[in-house]
């Protein structure tokens, strides 16, 4: 099904919508690279403080320096 297609073509998805949760859905989401599972109609309204794409919003653009002196 969908998991085989995504794997065969090397596709990753950011979010997955479903009518109910379950272990099979979580397994599919993890295999597909989904960082978010939501109910139908809620993918378009992610939480503002959430990790979009499974990453902090600006982490790739920020460099941290730790001063241990």
């Amino acid at each position: 099904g969908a998991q085989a297609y995504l794997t065969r073509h090397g596709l990753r998805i950011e979010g997955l919508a479903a009518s109910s949760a379950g272990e099979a859905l979580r397994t599919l989401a993890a295999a597909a690279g989904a960082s978010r599972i939501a109910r139908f109609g809620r993918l378009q309204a992610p939480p503002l403080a959430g990790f979009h794409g499974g990453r902090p919003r600006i982490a790739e653009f920020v460099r941290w320096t730790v001063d241990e002196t």
Side-chain angles (χ1 to χ4, degrees):
Q3 184 173 351
Y5 180 87
L6 293 168
T7 301
R8 183 173 59 246
H9 295 285
L11 302 173
R12 310 288 288 168
I13 61 173
E14 185 172 324
L16 188 64
S19 59
S20 63
E23 188 60 32
L25 176 66
R26 287 188 290 276
T27 300
L28 173 62
S35 59
R36 185 165 172 250
I37 303 171
R39 294 212 176 262
F40 285 116
R42 298 299 305 159
L43 280 177
Q44 299 83 358
L48 210 45
F51 292 105
H52 300 268
R55 298 180 165 123
R57 291 193 77 128
I58 62 168
E60 280 107 25
F61 306 105
V62 177
R63 182 172 169 256
W64 286 268
T65 301
V66 177
D67 184 352
E68 296 182 8
T69 59

